[in-house]
Amino acid sequence: MSVQRLPGVVLTDHVLEVPLDHDEPGGERIEVYGREVVAAGRERAELPWLVYLQGGPGCPAPRPLGRESWLSRALDDYRVLLLDQRGTGRSTPANRQTLPLRGGPGEQAAYLAHFRADAIVRDAETFRRRLAGDDTPWSVLGQSFGGFCTVTYLSQAPEGLREAYVTGGLPGTDASAADVYRAAYPRVARKNAAHYARFPEDVPAVRRIAAHLRAHEVRLPGGGLLTAEAFQALGLMLGSGNGSPTLHHLINEAWVTGPAGPELADAFLHAVQGHLSHATTPLFALLHETIYGQRSVDPGPTGWAAQRVRDGLETDAAFDVDTALAGDGPLYFTGEMMYPWLFDTDPALRPLKETAQALAERTDWPDLYDTERLAANEVPAAAAVYFDDMYVDTTHSLQTAERIRGLRTWVTNEWEHDGLRVSDGA
């Protein structure tokens, strides 16, 4: 057990072996990692535990550099466990390098089917029993997808919880994947409209880049293919507090003039790669739509719901590259949507294309939420709901809030999903 000291904090590593399938405790086992954080000088204090569940899916817990951000406030009252959810960070990794050890795409998809919120909650319970004790509940703080996991926790193991906090992560308990994206595209369209109202010069600038990408094959420094649709995916950042100005600066530094004339700058392509690559978070792409699968809501496959909704003309025409370029209006960026072509353009995902397809075709996903248990909830719970959240639908969140007995909500339009203040004019 490794212990490190950083400014104001003491960190302790914890690694537990857990069943891949908690319903088969004698079967294959994987490792799950958690980093304990306690305020310096309070290492031996009797403090209650708070487990932090990161957003995602497929993202590791934050790596603290000291007593900072929300963690500083939490350490006043708690001993914090930053959990690397299965498959991420220092937990047994799941990526293009390791998944082939499982076998072919079918075997890989079957393996990844055990990486949703229900398994994450049971991993957390294993940690709770080991660290806090069988009869000692702990607190949970879930951000974004971590909030989805928290609602699953309240559904499946409320006896393990002393209290529950959610920030920007109340899921639609009865929303299918298609429902999620039908609600998402109008929100993303509003973010686009606000961005272009703030930076009207970006309309021709974006059109110029997209037209160039339609006419030329452009490779990113790591070998990825920058298509016009991949360029649109930079809109993921529009849901963050500083995303709009960041995107504006990126767009307006796109070009340099070389011997053959204007071309996309190396610095631009390198920055774009940093935003688009899933090398560090492959499960974010692989599992993204699976987190909405529930047999009682829709027993069928999630089936590339974001693409199906887009193809079904249920979105603003400004999202279609060719339609937008044929006119003189803005081309809209997309948001938190995973499309099949992503597994052709991103080198970190390309070897997993058939695995992604197998997951998209998988049916009969187990339910993640127990509405009767939520209606009878006795765990003190509170949730921050960001009214203009681009990633999580406010209507779905508030409907779920009404279904969780005793849940207190704070609804605000002052903050974005990432906890940063809404930028002026955005």
Side-chain angles (χ1 to χ4, degrees):
M1 187 167 62
S2 174
V3 178
Q4 308 94 40
R5 291 182 177 272
L6 292 175
V9 297
V10 178
L11 312 177
T12 304
D13 296 334
H14 297 278
V15 180
L16 296 184
E17 278 198 349
V18 300
L20 171 65
D21 183 348
H22 282 276
D23 290 330
E24 296 185 7
E28 180 181 354
R29 302 181 76 79
I30 60 174
E31 289 187 345
V32 177
Y33 169 83
R35 177 179 283 107
E36 174 187 341
V37 188
V38 65
R42 306 189 74 189
E43 298 93 318
R44 293 179 175 81
E46 292 293 329
L47 296 169
W49 280 91
L50 171 73
V51 60
Y52 175 74
L53 300 178
Q54 173 70 313
C59 299
R63 274 43 182 159
L65 301 177
R67 188 159 178 165
E68 57 189 352
S69 187
W70 64 267
L71 188 59
S72 181
R73 175 62 184 87
L75 293 176
D76 287 342
D77 300 308
Y78 300 98
R79 186 180 301 270
V80 176
L81 184 73
L82 302 175
L83 186 68
D84 278 356
Q85 296 163 19
R86 51 173 54 198
T88 74
R90 291 175 61 180
S91 298
T92 299
N95 54 43
R96 68 171 182 85
Q97 295 167 294
T98 65
L99 284 171
L101 296 171
R102 317 304 312 174
E107 291 80 10
Q108 294 175 33
Y111 176 75
L112 292 174
H114 298 293
F115 283 63
R116 300 200 310 154
D118 46 0
I120 292 167
V121 166
R122 296 178 79 170
D123 292 344
E125 276 291 275
T126 303
F127 269 93
R128 180 188 64 82
R129 289 189 291 268
R130 175 68 63 88
L131 299 176
D134 290 343
D135 300 322
T136 304
W138 62 2
S139 303
V140 61
L141 169 60
Q143 158 64 14
S144 192
F145 171 69
F148 289 29
C149 294
T150 300
V151 177
T152 300
Y153 216 143
L154 290 169
S155 297
Q156 297 185 355
E159 67 279 1
L161 295 178
R162 175 174 176 252
E163 57 198 353
Y165 303 103
V166 172
T167 56
L170 287 178
T173 56
D174 59 358
S176 69
D179 293 333
V180 167
Y181 292 108
R182 289 189 192 99
Y185 279 106
R187 298 197 310 275
V188 178
R190 290 194 293 271
K191 292 293 187 182
N192 273 275
H195 174 82
Y196 285 124
R198 185 179 190 186
F199 301 113
E201 66 272 29
D202 283 5
V203 173
V206 168
R207 291 175 56 85
R208 181 188 179 194
I209 294 170
H212 178 81
L213 295 175
R214 266 292 187 258
H216 302 85
E217 180 177 294
V218 175
R219 292 282 172 179
L220 297 172
L225 181 62
L226 183 60
T227 64
E229 285 77 13
F231 172 61
Q232 284 180 287
L234 291 172
L236 181 65
M237 69 177 76
L238 288 177
S240 67
N242 57 13
S244 179
T246 300
L247 181 60
H248 167 72
H249 293 314
L250 182 63
I251 290 166
N252 284 274
E253 297 171 5
W255 298 94
V256 296
T257 301
E263 58 183 297
L264 291 174
D266 285 348
F268 169 78
L269 296 175
H270 181 79
V272 167
Q273 177 174 275
H275 287 289
L276 296 184
S277 173
H278 286 86
T280 59
T281 55
L283 294 184
F284 183 76
L286 279 165
L287 297 179
H288 212 278
E289 293 195 359
T290 74
I291 69 174
Y292 304 113
Q294 296 190 90
R295 62 169 64 102
S296 68
V297 175
D298 182 355
T302 53
W304 299 112
Q307 187 69 57
R308 285 190 289 115
V309 171
R310 188 172 177 172
D311 290 343
L313 302 179
E314 299 175 55
T315 62
D316 194 306
F319 284 111
D320 184 78
V321 175
D322 296 320
T323 300
L325 292 181
D328 56 7
L331 169 64
Y332 279 180
F333 292 93
T334 52
E336 196 176 37
M337 292 94 174
M338 300 299 132
Y339 302 108
W341 54 257
L342 182 62
F343 292 82
D344 294 315
T345 60
D346 189 337
L349 299 178
R350 197 175 296 132
L352 302 173
K353 180 178 180 178
E354 293 182 41
T355 302
Q357 184 62 36
L359 285 168
E361 294 173 356
R362 192 178 181 91
T363 61
D364 201 34
W365 290 102
D367 285 349
L368 297 169
Y369 312 113
D370 185 329
T371 54
E372 292 185 2
R373 214 165 189 182
L374 293 174
N377 174 61
E378 296 183 353
V379 177
V385 177
Y386 305 121
F387 189 77
D388 297 315
D389 197 327
M390 190 181 83
Y391 307 116
V392 179
D393 188 68
T394 302
T395 299
H396 291 166
S397 292
L398 294 178
Q399 288 173 345
T400 294
E402 292 179 356
R403 295 166 181 167
I404 301 176
R405 180 176 176 268
L407 176 72
R408 299 177 65 183
T409 57
W410 175 51
V411 184
T412 176
N413 63 357
E414 296 183 67
W415 305 87
E416 286 285 10
H417 184 88
D418 58 357
L420 296 179
R421 284 193 179 275
V422 174
S423 298
D424 293 339

